[in-house]
Amino acid sequence: MFGLENDIFLLLAVCIFAACLFEFINGFHDTANAVATVIYTNSLKPAQAVLWSGMMNFIGVITGGVGVGMSIVNLLPVDLLIDQNVYHSIAMVLAMLCSAIIWNFGTWYFGLPSSSSHTLIGAIMGVGLGYAMLPENASGAAAINWDKVKEIFTGLFIAPLIGFTLAVILMFILRVSVSKDVRNQIFSEPKKNQPPPGWIRTTLISTCTLVSFFHGKNDGQKGIGLVMLILIGILPSYFAITGLDDLKKIQPDLVQIQSIVSRIDTTHLGADERNHIRGINENLAVLMPVSQGISPDTTKKLHLRAAILQISTNTKKLLKDESVKMSSKDREDLSVLATKEEKGIRAAIDFAPFWVILMISLSLGMGTMIGWKRIVVTVGEKIGKSHLTYAQGASAELVAAITIGLASGFKLPVSTTHTLSSGIAGSMVASKGIKNLQSKTIKNIGVAWILTLPVSILLSAGLFLLFRAML
């Protein structure tokens, strides 16, 4: 297949399988949060809930695009993404996959709602850290795209705060806006083996549907990004960039970028700004003949990918610099054409084949149907001292769905686990105050939240250096 040597093909198969395994574990680890309330409140039987949630996850991934996935890919810098040594690429993806799977499975085993998003991002950062430690790498910490790290962690850290706050507000609104009879119904604890009233059941199933769907749109894309990292690293001539016909589509964008950059007054610019402009023009010169069909050779796709990434990087730096004068329209157009994921020239590299999307969605959907019980018990009974009520379950899931949906719209990966868990905690505090939280569970979740990044970073960095030495 593809003329690969047998050992490289075997390693590729192992990497793809490991990526599917990660997404499978993500399914029963993270998606258990989505089904926790409907199972715990007897709105759906466990088999029905996980099957329904799995289907919604599947649809979410299929319809979600690849923007969040590309945010994951772009955590790593250009140099690491275009490493010509295929064995170095294999070491990179194996280290990420192994460290992410180990931590994800371990936290699931102990019933801790830990974040697969934090785990995967930490694993990717660990690879960057390991790369920075290599003797042949002189760039040091630049082996991590810190601008993208800051952007992603804005979403990861703010989402739980939003979940907690919105849950408190929503619980307050419910208490003051509904009648006494309705309030007595929705603020009661589920009765054992007895489904709730029909309208409450419908509400809970609806919120479960929304969380599952938006989880697929957000978390599923992370798996897509992971597989694309594997394919770009091991099969760059097929997956580093789209085909020649798609490259022709970005030719007008390249012309427009060239036109906007040419209008920048360079008279008063410093050396750095001039270098950014020079870098954009040099890489436009690489891409233009290919996009026009003059030089149809796309076998060196890594070089073409690097050219697009360099244009994007240099453009971002130009747009941040206040000394670079251009009209507001030119600034806006240049930002969309050169820096926005899945837009303009980035559309040629921010893509995923349908079979990758289908494979990840199936892995996530099947994983949802297994291993849900440990997390459901934690969410339903161990976050608060009182058991979960109908209002608390619906409020937490609704704010989680809204938060995850908004994050997906902004192409930011967020943690379903932490967003929903913080929503449950907020609903518990809204009911009976801060003392209604079980300190032991909150402590365990907090410890897992704090440890996930450093552990996954160090584990991934160590494995990367080990695999680089072996391969």
Side-chain angles (χ1 to χ4, degrees):
M1 183 178 181
F2 303 127
L4 287 172
E5 298 176 6
N6 289 336
D7 56 342
I8 295 178
F9 175 70
L10 179 61
L11 287 170
L12 172 64
V14 169
C15 290
I16 295 292
F17 173 79
C20 292
L21 179 61
F22 171 80
E23 206 59 31
F24 180 83
I25 295 174
N26 186 13
F28 67 70
H29 192 290
D30 277 22
T31 316
N33 292 279
V35 300
T37 55
V38 288
I39 293 175
Y40 191 76
T41 58
N42 303 307
S43 298
L44 288 175
K45 294 188 180 299
Q48 295 173 325
V50 294
L51 180 61
W52 179 248
S53 182
M55 289 173 57
M56 290 302 103
N57 268 280
F58 179 87
I59 295 172
V61 178
I62 291 292
T63 60
V66 296
V68 175
M70 291 305 107
S71 293
I72 296 294
V73 172
N74 294 324
L75 272 172
L76 294 173
V78 175
D79 291 345
L80 193 51
L81 286 176
I82 59 172
D83 194 327
Q84 299 281 350
N85 190 318
V86 68
Y87 290 102
H88 291 176
S89 299
I90 291 172
M92 174 184 74
V93 296
L94 281 177
M96 289 188 299
L97 290 165
C98 291
S99 58
I101 289 171
I102 290 169
W103 183 253
N104 243 14
F105 187 82
T107 51
W108 166 84
Y109 181 81
F110 290 104
L112 295 176
S114 177
S115 169
S116 296
S117 302
H118 278 76
T119 304
L120 178 58
I121 291 167
I124 293 173
M125 290 175 64
V127 167
L129 179 63
Y131 183 75
M133 296 169 65
L134 292 173
E136 61 267 31
N137 176 36
S139 62
I144 298 175
N145 187 341
W146 290 111
D147 288 338
K148 181 58 68 174
V149 169
K150 291 175 186 176
E151 179 183 320
I152 287 176
F153 273 91
T154 298
L156 285 174
F157 280 103
I158 289 178
L161 298 177
I162 294 175
F164 182 91
T165 304
L166 287 182
V168 172
I169 294 171
L170 186 54
M171 288 287 289
F172 175 77
I173 292 172
L174 287 174
R175 282 190 179 279
V176 300
S177 63
V178 300
S179 65
K180 184 177 180 180
D181 289 340
V182 173
R183 189 162 60 246
N184 289 337
Q185 281 185 311
I186 64 176
F187 284 95
S188 62
E189 294 180 7
K191 296 178 181 178
K192 189 174 182 180
N193 299 325
Q194 183 176 332
W199 69 274
I200 295 178
R201 186 183 183 197
T202 300
T203 300
L204 288 164
I205 293 174
S206 298
T207 56
C208 167
T209 301
L210 288 172
V211 172
S212 300
F213 175 75
F214 285 118
H215 176 267
K217 284 178 74 73
N218 198 278
D219 271 42
Q221 288 191 48
K222 297 164 194 169
I224 292 170
L226 191 57
V227 173
M228 289 310 296
L229 271 176
I230 295 169
L231 295 175
I232 292 167
I234 300 177
L235 295 173
S237 60
Y238 291 89
F239 298 103
I241 200 169
T242 54
L244 182 59
D245 290 339
D246 293 311
L247 283 172
K248 289 179 180 178
K249 294 177 184 178
I250 69 169
Q251 196 266 339
D253 299 327
L254 293 171
V255 172
Q256 194 172 351
I257 291 171
Q258 190 175 53
S259 176
I260 293 172
V261 172
S262 68
R263 290 197 291 268
I264 297 175
D265 183 4
T266 61
T267 307
H268 304 290
L269 295 182
D272 288 342
E273 292 74 26
R274 291 172 183 269
N275 285 334
H276 298 326
I277 292 174
R278 186 181 304 111
I280 292 172
N281 288 325
E282 287 175 352
N283 287 290
L284 284 171
V286 172
L287 291 166
M288 201 71 79
V290 179
S291 68
Q292 294 171 336
I294 298 171
S295 174
D297 181 17
T298 58
T299 56
K300 295 182 179 179
K301 286 189 174 182
L302 275 179
H303 294 294
L304 299 176
R305 180 184 183 85
I308 292 175
L309 288 171
Q310 292 291 0
I311 291 173
S312 182
T313 300
N314 282 302
T315 299
K316 286 179 180 178
K317 292 176 180 178
L318 271 184
L319 293 174
K320 285 182 178 179
D321 197 317
E322 295 181 359
S323 66
V324 179
K325 305 299 181 184
M326 63 179 80
S327 69
S328 57
K329 185 180 186 305
D330 278 354
R331 186 174 292 272
E332 183 180 349
D333 288 346
L334 189 59
S335 175
V336 173
L337 291 168
T339 70
K340 296 296 183 184
E341 285 152 358
E342 297 184 273
K343 303 288 185 182
I345 63 172
R346 293 294 300 260
I349 58 173
D350 294 340
F351 75 102
F354 180 74
W355 67 266
V356 172
I357 298 172
L358 182 63
M359 179 178 67
I360 290 300
S361 60
L362 286 173
S363 300
L364 185 63
M366 289 189 291
T368 303
M369 302 176 193
I370 298 174
W372 50 268
K373 192 169 185 179
R374 292 175 186 268
I375 306 296
V376 168
V377 172
T378 297
V379 170
E381 299 181 7
K382 294 183 179 180
I383 292 179
K385 290 181 180 178
S386 58
H387 287 193
L388 194 71
T389 65
Y390 301 127
Q392 289 169 334
S395 298
E397 289 213 320
L398 182 59
V399 299
I402 292 170
T403 305
I404 298 166
L406 288 173
S408 299
F410 287 105
K411 300 183 180 1
L412 291 174
V414 293
S415 167
T416 302
T417 302
H418 290 152
T419 304
L420 184 61
S421 297
S422 63
I424 296 290
S427 70
M428 291 291 177
V429 170
S431 294
K432 297 180 180 179
I434 194 73
K435 293 182 179 179
N436 193 34
L437 297 177
Q438 288 197 40
S439 58
K440 182 179 179 181
T441 302
I442 299 300
K443 180 181 177 181
N444 288 340
I445 293 174
V447 168
W449 187 68
I450 292 170
L451 289 180
T452 292
L453 270 178
V455 170
S456 54
I457 288 173
L458 293 175
L459 184 59
S460 180
L463 289 174
F464 174 74
L465 293 172
L466 175 64
F467 293 150
R468 277 287 291 252
M470 293 171 56
L471 294 173

